[in-house]
């Protein structure tokens, strides 16, 4: 990512929990399996399409899931 920023599973989890969503509920909102959320929170990064879906589902900005 630009400026040395990287996707943060910790931040994703914090945002998801702050919105009262389970991994499965957020996955359903995005149209993906909750397994993806689990993997992303554990350290994998979503691809570009899923990143856009994630940001829209969480109603957040890219910087909020980066560190």
């Amino acid at each position: 990512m630009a400026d040395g920023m990287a996707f943060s599973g910790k931040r994703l989890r914090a945002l998801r929990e702050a919105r009262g969503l389970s991994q499965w509920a957020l996955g359903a909102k995005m149209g993906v399996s909750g397994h993806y959320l689990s993997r992303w929170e554990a350290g994998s990064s979503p691809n570009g399409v899923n990143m856009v879906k994630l940001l829209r589902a969480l109603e957040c900005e890219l910087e909020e899931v980066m560190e």
Side-chain angles (χ1 to χ4, degrees):
M1 295 287 160
D3 300 327
M5 296 181 78
F7 179 79
S8 171
K10 281 184 184 181
R11 286 190 175 191
L12 168 57
R13 182 177 181 179
L15 285 168
R16 177 181 58 74
E17 289 177 345
R19 285 157 174 77
L21 296 168
S22 68
Q23 290 175 339
W24 307 123
L26 180 55
K29 195 171 179 181
M30 293 175 58
V32 301
S33 166
H35 290 286
Y36 283 107
L37 278 291
S38 176
R39 289 179 26 206
W40 298 338
E41 288 181 6
S44 295
S45 296
N47 64 27
V49 171
N50 283 330
M51 180 67 80
V52 171
K53 289 180 181 180
L54 178 64
L55 297 175
R56 287 180 179 162
L58 288 173
E59 298 177 6
C60 70
E61 299 293 324
L62 178 63
E63 294 79 12
E64 295 178 76
V65 293
M66 306 297 282
E67 60 180 5

